[in-house]
Amino acid sequence: MQLELISTKRCPFVQRSIITLQHKGIEHRMTFVDLDDPPDWFRQISPFGKVPVLRVDDDTVIFESAVINEYLDDITPGQLHPADPLQRALNRSWIEFGGGCLSLTFQLMVAPDRESYDGIVAELEANLARIEAALGDGPYFNGDKFALIDAAYAPLFIRLDTFADLFGLAIAANLPKIQAWQQTLLALPEVQTARVPELPDLFRQLVTSRNAYAQALLR
Ligand SMILES: N[C@@H](CCC(=O)N[C@@H](CS)C(=O)NCC(=O)O)C(=O)O
């Protein structure tokens, strides 16, 4: 079976799949597209025009990061979703919630003025407080075993950690479980692989090209 992940280096949803591919040691090919000027073949195969998409054996395309990750998990040994149906459903619920948080991190970078930027920070903080309340004793979301939900949230922590350096954003300072989870995930080799070194520059470019409020915060 041949797997090809259609990607961009900046996308946190792509990072979710890279982390799963790396964690499970799955052989794959990466193809990068420019979302500002996507090639025709990409428009044809990506139903929402979004990355990631996973091309399987050159002919079947799977889209949506959470679905791609479940598929990658299904075709390889060692399940990364809880076996219990209720726990699995709960994990899926919070994975969906995490996708909303990732969208907020994009909105934060492109927010046109201080008022909208501050509003997005407040929304992110409220979301993180909700997640804090759902977390157990760690080190991972479900306890001592890495799961798909950890792969789904690690890109959020990559972004928040990068925003701390770039914009001086201090978020989740009073959320100890979130902080501990973030530290655990950012230290994993598969997460470090997904966190490409050019990420801060890619964020700088985005903020500058959009003439966003965050430009004034750049360090
Ligand atoms: N729900 C999707 C979200 C994917 C997504 O929003 N990808 C962004 C890049 S990070 C994208 O491709 N945007 C292009 C567009 O919206 O035109 C998933 O989980 O895969």
Side-chain angles (χ1 to χ4, degrees), residues 36-70:
D36 292 330
D37 184 20
D40 284 343
W41 63 263
F42 175 72
R43 289 178 204 270
Q44 276 162 25
I45 66 165
S46 177
F48 291 131
K50 292 184 177 186
V51 289
V53 291
L54 183 73
R55 193 148 47 178
V56 182
D57 286 338
D58 285 333
D59 53 6
T60 308
V61 165
I62 302 171
F63 54 100
E64 287 297 318
S65 58
V67 178
I68 291 171
N69 278 5
E70 289 203 10

Side-chain angles (χ1 to χ4, degrees), residues 49-123:
K50 292 184 177 186
V51 289
V53 291
L54 183 73
R55 193 148 47 178
V56 182
D57 286 338
D58 285 333
D59 53 6
T60 308
V61 165
I62 302 171
F63 54 100
E64 287 297 318
S65 58
V67 178
I68 291 171
N69 278 5
E70 289 203 10
Y71 171 71
L72 293 172
D73 194 34
D74 284 345
I75 60 169
T76 47
Q79 296 316 286
L80 291 180
H81 246 338
D84 175 65
L86 185 59
Q87 282 307 314
R88 201 160 60 235
L90 201 58
N91 276 220
R92 287 187 176 122
S93 296
W94 285 108
I95 287 171
E96 184 66 24
F97 189 76
C101 296
L102 287 177
S103 299
L104 283 174
T105 61
F106 180 79
Q107 289 172 33
L108 180 141
M109 284 191 279
V110 300
D113 51 46
R114 181 172 182 173
E115 196 186 351
S116 48
Y117 178 93
D118 286 346
I120 293 161
V121 171
E123 208 177 327

Side-chain angles (χ1 to χ4, degrees), residues 135 137-145 150 177 180-182 184-185:
L135 282 169
D137 293 337
Y140 298 108
F141 184 90
N142 295 311
D144 56 8
K145 195 168 167 283
D150 300 291
K177 289 182 177 178
W181 192 26
Q182 167 162 333
T184 300
L185 294 184

Side-chain angles (χ1 to χ4, degrees), residues 6-14 31-39 41-43 46 48-53 106 159 206 210:
I6 320 293
S7 317
T8 72
K9 291 191 171 169
R10 200 182 66 200
C11 178
F13 297 96
V14 166
T31 301
F32 294 97
V33 288
D34 178 2
L35 286 177
D36 292 330
D37 184 20
W41 63 263
F42 175 72
R43 289 178 204 270
S46 177
F48 291 131
K50 292 184 177 186
V51 289
V53 291
F106 180 79
R159 285 204 158 186
L206 174 67
R210 298 286 187 110

